[in-house]
Amino acid sequence: MIDVKVCLAEQEEKMEMAALHLEDTLSHIRAGKANVHILDGIKVNSYGSLVPLNNVSAITTPDQRTIAIKPWDKSMFSVIEKAIIDSNVGIMPENNGEVIRLAIPPLTQERRKELAKKCAKEGESARIAIRNARRDGIEKLKKGIKDGLSEDVEKDAEADLQKIHDKIMKKIDKILAEKEKEIMTV
């Protein structure tokens, strides 16, 4: 027989993972402010192996429009610059011999709208994943009736699953609203 609590916990975990994935994805979208997460995907060649940029340097944001990268090894300057230029960050690095600086250009209104649409698209993907998790949970509960689960317990579990779904959807809406506000703020 199906364990209702385990089924609900599994589906809630899937829904939470969708929300976490959305947060992670949105953190990589450049919103006109300096954010060290836009460099997360960049790998540099360090002594024959590809390693993340933050493994060979200290990355900071001294102000809202600048990212500062201070390599721990002076020989890494050209390698780091090349990796940034080759990446999809779209910002030209400036090297003064001590620190590599990335000046974050202000976004145009058109680009802001484009980024807001991209965020909405990511949000819709997360919503679909959450709805799919709810649907899977309901299907498991309905199969549980065939295995001897009472209909009352199944209906109560379905209502609980809907509450979990609604809670996570509100969380998604809040995440998207915050990111859209961040993007649209000049």
Side-chain angles (χ1 to χ4, degrees):
M1 193 163 93
I2 186 172
D3 186 350
V4 174
K5 288 183 179 175
V6 170
C7 178
L8 290 177
E10 285 175 358
Q11 301 315 316
E12 184 173 15
E13 184 179 350
K14 286 180 184 176
M15 292 178 192
E16 286 288 350
M17 293 305 286
L20 286 173
H21 177 72
L22 176 65
E23 282 181 328
D24 183 54
T25 303
L26 294 182
S27 73
H28 295 293
I29 295 177
R30 182 162 53 101
K33 284 196 283 188
N35 182 350
V36 296
H37 290 296
I38 65 172
L39 301 175
D40 282 353
I42 297 178
K43 302 235 187 265
V44 294
N45 188 352
S46 175
Y47 303 107
S49 61
L50 286 177
V51 294
L53 179 59
N54 59 2
N55 285 8
V56 295
S57 61
I59 304 172
T60 58
T61 53
D63 60 60
Q64 283 199 341
R65 295 258 181 241
T66 309
I67 297 175
I69 304 165
K70 186 165 175 57
W72 294 318
D73 183 358
K74 298 274 187 203
S75 66
M76 294 299 292
F77 274 100
S78 61
V79 177
I80 291 173
E81 282 184 320
K82 182 173 178 355
I84 292 170
I85 292 168
D86 292 346
S87 73
N88 63 353
V89 174
I91 302 170
M92 205 55 190
E94 300 167 14
N95 176 359
N96 67 4
E98 291 290 316
V99 176
I100 297 171
R101 294 192 188 283
L102 299 177
I104 309 295
L107 297 174
T108 63
Q109 192 62 27
E110 186 179 303
R111 180 73 175 135
R112 289 179 194 281
K113 288 178 182 174
E114 211 176 280
L115 289 174
K117 282 182 186 176
K118 186 176 179 184
C119 290
K121 191 175 173 186
E122 292 293 339
E124 190 54 38
S125 296
R127 286 187 180 105
I128 289 169
I130 291 167
R131 287 187 204 112
N132 288 342
R134 179 186 58 184
R135 188 193 65 233
D136 293 346
I138 290 171
E139 286 174 5
K140 284 183 182 178
L141 291 170
K142 293 219 186 282
K143 286 180 185 173
I145 292 176
K146 294 176 185 169
D147 296 336
L149 185 69
S150 76
E151 285 188 28
D152 290 344
V153 171
E154 188 268 340
K155 287 293 177 196
D156 290 344
E158 217 173 287
D160 290 343
L161 188 60
Q162 184 64 42
K163 286 177 188 169
I164 293 167
H165 168 271
D166 294 344
K167 179 183 82 173
I168 304 290
M169 284 297 203
K170 282 182 183 170
K171 184 177 180 180
I172 295 288
D173 292 341
K174 184 178 174 217
I175 292 167
L176 286 171
E178 287 174 2
K179 188 64 177 184
E180 188 170 336
K181 182 181 175 197
E182 181 186 332
I183 290 171
M184 290 305 190
T185 304
V186 177

